[in-house]
């Protein structure tokens, strides 16, 4: 399969970009929903920054400071064009969790947002902030009941129609525990028709699918660099400019101010208003390098490749006796499963110790989703750009061995 636009690079070439596979040639890395591996260009960007570009941003006028500021603001343009937003709509954060906390806190301070509605299947990062801040600021918190791993569209429509406006609806574009894809267009249409704003937790979606912020109509979008071949500790909150302008800041400190008086302060324009203190400069520049790397791949081929791996995984795993698949048939990039007798941690540990197959086991920071499925934890295999058909086959063979071993 051709992976790079206009070149003859193959999946093998893509794998060679990732030094971890040279370090561990047997590694079958299927824990990409937790974090992805990093290509050489991203690692080089981090080292180059600290070696020869290191300075703070937005402050001094010396040469290094100007260079660092230029790289940091260029990163904002790159991330904006990656999701088709305006650069001033991109707020750099430490990742999805911080983006969502920032947003939930700032929206809580706006009086007329009276309710926060969140599906039960959410990652705790997109559930607990809304739940906790609603209770602290006297808002209504509405957990949206789910059916298995899906939104129940009937109860969604009913709840949204009955809401006092304006309200907030926050949901993952792609859930991390089962790989369920939210019907985003339909959700946005319904929420907007009823006077609400839509927050999409894009931690899993953005690494996997081309997303057009402007065209989608979504109001806010959060995502993390480390799940899209970038470094940890970097991410973004993207918001419609007119909405970001209305939000009060989350953190106070250096570089987010306009003018400070003894008893009052006015704030910088967006996005600086939300970026107090020294940001993760190297990480953010490397985040943009990660986006460039993904842009250099043929998006349609990559998406199709991951879809093929996921569906092959469904096929192989559904043939294993006693295994229960806890992902929708058309899940994207993620397959969750349990076995009727063997605990997920035992399966995951066996796979790693004996075969160097890395999968995640646990509740995937989605305890309420686990409860709905009637389990405490699952094993989860998740795929990304460098995974191969052989990886899926190693997983299936490894599970069979584990089941034999545990009798
Ligand atoms: N939301 C979803 C859907 C996720 O998968 C994750 C990470 N597992 C998060 C939020 C939190 O992301 P981060 O840890 O990068 O802040």
């Amino acid at each position: 399969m051709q992976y790079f636009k206009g070149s003859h690079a193959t999946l093998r070439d893509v794998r060679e970009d990732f030094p971890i596979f040279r370090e561990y040639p047997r590694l079958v890395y299927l824990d990409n929903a937790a974090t992805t591996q990093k290509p050489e260009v991203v690692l080089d960007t981090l080292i180059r920054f600290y070696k020869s570009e290191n300075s703070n941003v937005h402050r001094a006028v010396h040469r290094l400071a100007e260079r660092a500021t230029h790289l940091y603001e260029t990163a904002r343009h790159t991330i904006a064009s990656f999701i088709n937003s305006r650069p001033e709509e991109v707020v750099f954060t430490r990742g999805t969790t911080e983006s969502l906390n920032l947003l939930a806190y700032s929206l809580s301070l706006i009086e007329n947002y009276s309710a926060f509605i969140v599906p039960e299947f959410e990652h705790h990062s997109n559930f607990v902030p809304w739940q906790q801040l609603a209770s602290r600021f006297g808002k209504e918190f509405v957990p949206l009941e789910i059916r298995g791993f899906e939104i129940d569209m009937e109860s969604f429509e009913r709840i949204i129609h009955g809401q006092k406006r304006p309200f907030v609806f926050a949901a993952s574009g792609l859930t991390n525990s089962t790989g369920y894809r939210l019907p985003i267009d339909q959700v946005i249409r319904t929420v907007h028709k009823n006077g609400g704003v839509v927050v999409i937790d894009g931690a899993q979606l953005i690494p996997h699918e081309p997303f057009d912020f402007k065209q989608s109509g979504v109001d806010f979008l959060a995502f993390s660099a480390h799940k899209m071949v970038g470094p940890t500790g970097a991410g973004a909150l993207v918001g419609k400019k007119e909405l970001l302008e209305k939000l009060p800041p989350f953190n106070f400190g250096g570089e987010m101010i306009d003018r400070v008086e003894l008893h009052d302060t006015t704030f910088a324009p967006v996005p600086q208003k939300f970026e107090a203190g020294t940001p993760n400069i190297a990480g953010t520049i490397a985040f943009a390098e990660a986006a460039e790397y993904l842009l250099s791949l043929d998006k349609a081929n990559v998406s199709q490749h991951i879809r093929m791996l996921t569906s092959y995984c469904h096929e192989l795993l559904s043939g294993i006796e006693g295994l229960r698949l806890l992902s929708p048939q058309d899940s994207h990039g993620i397959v969750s499963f349990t076995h009727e007798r063997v605990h997920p941690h035992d399966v995951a540990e066996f796979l790693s110790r004996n075969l160097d197959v890395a999968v995640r086991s646990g509740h995937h920071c989605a305890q309420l989703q686990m409860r709905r499925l009637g389990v405490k934890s699952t094993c989860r295999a998740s795929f990304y750009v460098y995974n191969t058909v052989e990886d899926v086959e190693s997983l299936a063979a490894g599970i069979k061995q584990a089941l034999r071993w545990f009798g």
Side-chain angles (χ1 to χ4, degrees), residues 33-34 94-98 100 122-126 172 174-177 201-204 223-227 234 360 364-365 380:
R94 285 192 299 128
T96 308
T97 303
E98 190 180 65
L100 293 167
E122 288 306 311
H123 188 283
H124 299 155
S125 292
N126 192 36
S172 294
L174 183 63
T175 62
N176 68 305
S177 51
D201 170 347
Q204 299 296 336
F223 56 107
S224 299
H226 71 98
K227 293 187 199 284
R360 166 92 186 267
H364 315 294
C365 303
R380 179 187 69 187

Side-chain angles (χ1 to χ4, degrees), residues 259-319:
R259 197 178 172 85
V260 178
E261 301 293 347
L262 271 183
H263 293 287
D264 199 14
T265 295
T266 52
F267 304 116
V270 296
Q272 273 73 30
K273 179 171 81 169
F274 296 106
E275 293 181 10
T278 301
N280 180 0
I281 306 165
T284 302
I285 296 167
F287 177 17
E289 189 63 41
E292 297 275 18
Y293 179 84
L294 293 177
L295 286 171
S296 78
L297 306 178
D298 184 315
K299 275 189 219 155
N301 271 354
V302 168
S303 251
Q304 191 200 331
H305 176 66
I306 295 173
R307 234 187 329 263
M308 180 271 288
L309 294 178
T310 317
S311 105
Y312 189 41
C313 186
H314 270 277
E315 185 191 323
L316 292 190
L317 268 49
S318 60

Side-chain angles (χ1 to χ4, degrees), residues 106-360:
S106 297
L107 281 167
S108 295
L109 294 175
I110 301 188
E111 214 172 295
N112 55 350
Y113 284 100
S114 54
F116 300 156
I117 307 163
V118 186
E120 286 178 354
F121 54 47
E122 288 306 311
H123 188 283
H124 299 155
S125 292
N126 192 36
F127 194 88
V128 183
W130 302 106
Q131 176 202 62
Q132 289 298 303
L133 289 160
S135 132
R136 190 178 303 171
F137 290 100
K139 311 272 182 190
E140 191 189 355
F141 178 68
V142 187
L144 182 68
E145 215 175 279
I146 53 174
R147 223 184 26 212
F149 25 63
E150 297 182 350
I151 277 203
D152 179 343
M153 283 318 271
E154 261 176 43
S155 78
F156 167 74
E157 297 269 349
R158 191 167 13 86
I159 285 177
I160 298 296
H161 282 304
Q163 275 318 305
K164 199 170 142 236
R165 32 183 89 196
F167 61 91
V168 178
F169 177 76
S172 294
L174 183 63
T175 62
N176 68 305
S177 51
T178 69
Y180 165 71
R181 172 82 164 70
L182 188 77
I184 292 188
D185 293 343
Q186 193 182 346
V187 162
I188 293 174
R189 256 197 320 276
T190 306
V191 172
H192 282 172
K193 211 164 60 194
N194 290 279
V197 295
V198 180
V199 178
I200 294 293
D201 170 347
Q204 299 296 336
L205 182 74
I206 297 304
H208 280 281
E209 273 185 27
F211 187 82
D212 189 320
F213 178 78
K214 198 163 154 194
Q215 207 203 331
S216 72
V218 68
D219 299 288
F220 297 101
L221 171 71
F223 56 107
S224 299
H226 71 98
K227 293 187 199 284
M228 44 179 278
V229 310
T232 51
L237 170 68
V238 184
K240 283 181 180 160
K241 191 173 177 204
E242 62 277 17
L243 291 175
L244 284 177
E245 277 169 347
K246 285 190 196 134
L247 289 185
F250 177 53
N251 285 324
F252 300 105
E255 294 307 312
M256 54 76 70
I257 54 92
D258 167 36
R259 197 178 172 85
V260 178
E261 301 293 347
L262 271 183
H263 293 287
D264 199 14
T265 295
T266 52
F267 304 116
V270 296
Q272 273 73 30
K273 179 171 81 169
F274 296 106
E275 293 181 10
T278 301
N280 180 0
I281 306 165
T284 302
I285 296 167
F287 177 17
E289 189 63 41
E292 297 275 18
Y293 179 84
L294 293 177
L295 286 171
S296 78
L297 306 178
D298 184 315
K299 275 189 219 155
N301 271 354
V302 168
S303 251
Q304 191 200 331
H305 176 66
I306 295 173
R307 234 187 329 263
M308 180 271 288
L309 294 178
T310 317
S311 105
Y312 189 41
C313 186
H314 270 277
E315 185 191 323
L316 292 190
L317 268 49
S318 60
I320 300 177
E321 214 187 310
L323 218 62
R324 177 181 169 207
L325 298 194
L326 293 162
S327 288
Q329 192 57 43
D330 60 350
S331 68
H332 189 89
I334 288 173
V335 180
S336 258
F337 56 93
T338 53
H339 188 266
E340 58 191 21
R341 288 190 319 277
V342 186
H343 195 280
H345 287 319
D346 288 336
V347 175
E349 200 178 339
F350 182 96
L351 289 174
S352 175
R353 288 222 173 149
N354 297 290
L355 302 153
D356 228 346
V357 174
V359 294
R360 166 92 186 267

